[in-house]
Every structure is written in C-alpha cells, then in structure tokens.
Amino acid sequence: MSTWVRHRVAILLLFFVALTVVAGSVWRISYGQALDQLAERGESDLALAADRLTAQLQRYQELAVLMASHPALAGALDGTVPTAEARILLQDAADKTTALNLSYADVRGNIVVTAFPEKASSMESRPYFERALHGALGTYHGVDENGRRIFFFSSPSFGPDGRVSGVLTVSVDITTVEENWRGDGPAVFFVDEDGLVFITNRSELMFWHRKGQDKGLIPPTGAAPPFNSYERAGLELWSLDWGPYLPTRGLHLIKPLPVISMTAEAVIDEAPARQLASLQAAVVAALIFAFGVFLYQATQRRRVLAEANAVLEERVALRTRALSETNVQLRREITERQDAEAALKQAQADLVQAGKLSALGQMSAGISHELNQPLMAIQQFSENGELFLERGKVETAADNLSKISALSKRMARIIRNLRAFARNENEPMGRVDILSVVEAALELTEPRLRQDRITLDWETPGGAIWVRGGEVRLGQVLVNLITNAADAMAESDPRVIKIRVIRGDRVAISVADSGPGIHEPEKIFDPFFTTKAVGSSEGMGLGLSISYGLVQSFGGQIRGVNAPEGGAVFTVELDDWSEERAA
C-alpha cells in the first residue's frame, strides 16, 4: 500500500473518530439538558399527584375530626341517644363521603356504634386508636382480610372534664381514591415506611416491596422483575421491564409526604429526552459528515472545482446559521417556560396569603359584631348613670351600674367564646330560655329603636320556652336581625318591627319589618353581600352570614322571605329542649 493511500486512510479514520466523539458529546450534553427539563415537569406532575391524594384523604381526616364531637355519638355512648339513631347518622356520613365505614368506640376500645357491621368488636391495641386516646389524630393504613387497602383516621372526642371520652374512626377504601386518576399521567406510586407500594395509578406496581437500595422493587412472593438503577447527569434512572404501561427506562423522582407517612415516587418515561438528544446528535453528526464530505471533495477537486467548493461552503454556513437560530429559539422557549413556572409559584403563594387575610378579615368582623352592641350599651348606661347621679337618683344610677356589670360579664362570656373558638372548640350548647334572649336583645337595641322612632310589636307568650342553643350566640343573632330590620326601614313610613315566638314541632322566632323587602333573597346569607351604600361603615355584609352559621351550629334553620303585605320576615327555627330530652 502506497504512502498516499495510507495517508488517506488515516485521515478518514481520524475524521470518523472525531465525528463519533463530537456526536457523542452533543448527545450527552443534550441528553442531560433534556433530562433536567423532564425532571422539572416530572416534579410538577408528582407534586400535583401528591397534592391530589393528600387533598382526597384530607376530606376523610376532616370528617373524623368534625364528626367525633357530634352530640348523637356522645349520647350513644352514655345511653341518652338510641344506637339506631347514631348509626343512621354515621351511615348518612359514609354514603355522602364514600367512606368505607365509620366506627365510634369508648376509651376501652369497645365499638359502641358503627355505620356498617364489622367482624371485630373492639379496637384495643390498634395503633391509630391508641394515638387518638392520647388526644391526637391517629392515622394508619393496612390491608384487611378481604384484600382491600384501607386508610384509617381516628379522632378523639372529649367529655365535659376535658378527657377523651370516645374515638371516631373513619375507614377509607383506597380503591375509591384511585378511581379518578388510575392510568392518568406518569407512573406514580406511594410507598409507606416499610417500602410497600400501597397506592398507585398503575396496577402493575401494587403491593411491590422495596427490599434494599440495590435490589429495587420485588413482589412479596416470586422472583424479582428486571430492574436496574443508575445515575445520569446527577439524576437517578431506572431500567425496568414491568409491562406495556410502564416505561422501559424512566427517570425516578421522590417526594416525601410526612403528612400521610408515605413517600411519593414517580417513574417518568425518558424516551422523549433520549429522542431529543439523538435528534440533536444526528443533526450535528450529519452537518459534520456533510462538512467532511464537502471538505474531502473540495480537497480532491481543489484545483478544478474552486467555485463549486465556495458554493458548498456557503451552504454549510447557511445550515450552521439555521441550527444556531434553532438553538437560540429553543433556549428562549426554555427561559419563557421557567419564567411561567416562577409566576405560577408566586401566584400560588399570593393565593395562600389572600386566604389568610380573608380568614383574618372574617374573624375581625366576628369580633366587631360580638362586642359592638354590648360596648354601645355600656357607654349608654354609663352616660345615663352620670346624669342620674347629678340628679341625685342614686338607686337608678346603681341600677345602671348593675346593668353595666351584667353587660361586662356578657362581654367576658363573648371573649371566652372567641378564645374557645380559637382553640377549635365551641361554646357548650344547653337549655336556653328564648324569651329571655329576646328580651335581652331588645334591651340592647332599645336606644336605636327609640332614636329611629320604630314601633315595636312584641307579644310575650306566657311561661318560659326552652330551646337548644347558646345564649350569647342566640342573642347576637337576634340583635343582628333587629338591627338589620331597623336599617331596612330607614326610608320607610310607618316603621314597625314585629317579633313573635311560636312553639310547634320546633320553636320559631320571627322578626318582621315594614321596609321595602328583600331584593335578592337567594343571596342574603352570602358573605360580603350587602344592600347598603358602598363605603358605609355598617355595610360589610357579614351579619346575616355569621347569623346563618351560628344558627346552623345549633342544629337550627334560618330563612328570609318577603311578606305578602310588604316588608321582610326572618325566621329562626330551633329544637325544643323538652322534646330533645324526651327523645
């Protein structure tokens, strides 16, 4: 072989070696960048799936917390409420929330009432029950004898002495949680502390168990499936062959979920990243190869094809410029996507802050409504007391001071109720004389009615009428209704407020006015809905909304309608205390 031939072969070999090295480098760099983008999208998908699961389980956790203190369950525990009535309550809650079962047990673990029959009659020694006995929310998960995956939430209920008196356990069938997202998005699975895949949107992964960092996932019985874990560009990749609905190679992502004591994991198909990297490497290799061919032809025909060589070089330059522009466009799109993700995170943070401010605003409005009327009455009584003392009417001034003392005690009860509300507790409900509550509300609003020349039509029934509720909160409801009636009649003539208490199946208290009526009855109980002038200091639109919530907390109803003869009528219906005792 001549020297010239060997020289040409050496050049060709060097060229192909260089081509392979450059193409491989481009592939590796492009693959790393594509994996980073894939990881960002995968982390968003994994966070979304984790948030969706925790939100769905949160419903049942809140159900356990809210239902645990229900009076019917406490009554079933001490025998004052029939077990059948408590069972109907639990069955209704289970039907509406798709919970598998709700069970209420005493502190010894004996099941007092359950929505649906269970084989076990005791919850003693169960970890979630034991945690609830210590006053905390107990959570647990496992597989029952029917092979169903169950999630448990146990919430304690407290007796009058502040100790745990019973535990309500909500059982959730995980299959119902998975129904809406099975097969959706990338392969996502949730692993418990023992490494068991307990929840997933791919049935192939169900009940697979992690047996060490190097062994990957293996089934409880049988041989381990094909699996390998390796690292690329600082990311963990899995090579697996678990079925047609799972990627052969995937990017493995992890997100701890301490709220439910699990770890969310996802396997994102890395084929798009590989395809993109291969495409970019192929483009670069094609350009280099084309350039080499052109260079080779130009070298061989340099003497006779100089013009053709110039044309070829120009074409190479054009193609290189197009590739650069494409690369710049791709980087611009990546930057825009990153900016959009940052804006989304900021918007989410703003929504969270807005929610906090809204809650603070509602609490401030509640405090204002609770304390404004007693403070006004105290001011009025104190001013009158000064006048009576100047006139020598000591007994009348002392009576005003007694009223101020009573109102101060009333404000202390209000503040105590607000503090109890801040601890997620409610004022204990009991037997309340509704006539006394009405009289107290009229006493608070008497100056306003006298100032606006409003005629009061109030017929007091004989004897006391006892209802189930809270005295302070019922008084606030009636003060709100009377004050709203007075506001509604600001431009009316005559001005009459008619109050009636009627005892039937339930005790009904009606407050009617002679104003213009309700323009939008369906919206009157919506928060911040008001018909008062914009900018009015009394037009926050929270009074009726708060009243609605208070009456609902007593197990009662409140409604507002337009009277046939004109004006508006607001009716509050409450349970008769004697009827509740008889039941």
Side-chain angles (χ1 to χ4, degrees), residues 364-385:
S364 300
I367 295 173
S368 175
H369 276 76
E370 292 287 349
L371 298 180
N372 186 53
Q373 293 295 343
L375 285 174
M376 293 296 294
I378 289 175
Q379 179 183 1
Q380 185 66 36
F381 286 137
S382 62
E383 292 175 353
N384 292 342

Side-chain angles (χ1 to χ4, degrees), residues 2-114:
S2 64
T3 304
W4 182 78
V5 173
R6 288 196 300 269
H7 181 69
R8 290 184 59 186
V9 172
I11 292 176
L12 289 175
L13 288 176
L14 289 175
F15 173 76
F16 282 111
V17 169
L19 176 63
T20 303
V21 171
V22 172
S25 300
V26 171
W27 186 93
R28 188 177 299 105
I29 295 172
S30 301
Y31 183 62
Q33 293 177 346
L35 280 182
D36 290 338
Q37 300 174 26
L38 191 64
E40 292 180 1
R41 293 194 297 269
E43 288 173 355
S44 299
D45 294 338
L46 180 59
L48 180 62
D51 292 343
R52 180 162 52 181
L53 174 63
T54 54
Q56 287 178 292
L57 292 178
Q58 186 75 15
R59 294 189 308 160
Y60 301 102
Q61 175 181 320
E62 294 174 352
L63 173 65
V65 174
L66 295 176
M67 289 286 295
S69 59
H70 198 285
L73 300 180
L77 185 63
D78 58 22
T80 58
V81 174
T83 303
E85 181 179 340
R87 180 179 295 108
I88 292 174
L89 173 68
L90 296 182
Q91 288 175 348
D92 182 59
D95 292 338
K96 290 180 178 178
T97 61
T98 68
L100 182 62
N101 202 356
L102 287 86
S103 302
Y104 189 74
D106 59 20
V107 294
R108 293 181 297 276
N110 299 322
I111 297 179
V112 178
V113 60
T114 180

Side-chain angles (χ1 to χ4, degrees), residues 165-180:
S165 60
V167 175
L168 176 65
T169 300
V170 178
S171 305
V172 184
D173 189 348
I174 293 300
T175 303
T176 62
V177 177
E178 292 176 339
E179 286 178 351
N180 293 332

Side-chain angles (χ1 to χ4, degrees), residues 431-562:
R431 190 177 71 160
V432 178
D433 183 5
I434 190 61
L435 300 182
S436 299
V437 175
V438 174
E439 293 289 351
L442 291 175
E443 182 179 4
L444 290 174
T445 57
E446 180 183 0
R448 167 69 186 279
L449 300 182
R450 183 171 57 252
Q451 177 183 352
D452 293 350
R453 298 190 300 278
I454 297 175
T455 302
L456 178 65
D457 184 358
W458 160 234
E459 296 181 1
T460 306
I465 298 179
W466 301 99
V467 297
R468 179 176 177 271
E471 180 180 358
V472 175
R473 290 177 284 174
L474 275 178
Q476 184 60 40
V477 171
L478 291 174
V479 168
N480 285 342
L481 295 180
I482 294 171
T483 303
N484 286 347
D487 293 339
M489 296 186 297
E491 305 296 333
S492 300
D493 194 20
R495 304 174 184 175
V496 179
I497 294 179
K498 180 178 180 182
I499 302 177
R500 294 290 184 270
V501 177
I502 303 173
R503 186 171 187 174
D505 295 338
R506 307 181 83 184
V507 177
I509 308 99
S510 64
V511 178
D513 60 61
S514 59
I518 306 172
H519 298 296
E520 296 180 276
E522 69 280 0
K523 295 183 178 180
I524 55 174
F525 296 112
D526 292 346
F528 304 106
F529 175 78
T530 178
T531 58
K532 298 172 185 175
V534 176
S536 172
S537 62
E538 301 179 355
M540 292 183 291
L542 287 170
L544 289 177
S545 177
I546 293 173
S547 299
Y548 182 87
L550 293 177
V551 175
Q552 288 283 326
S553 69
F554 305 144
Q557 297 289 334
I558 182 172
R559 62 180 182 273
V561 297
N562 290 316

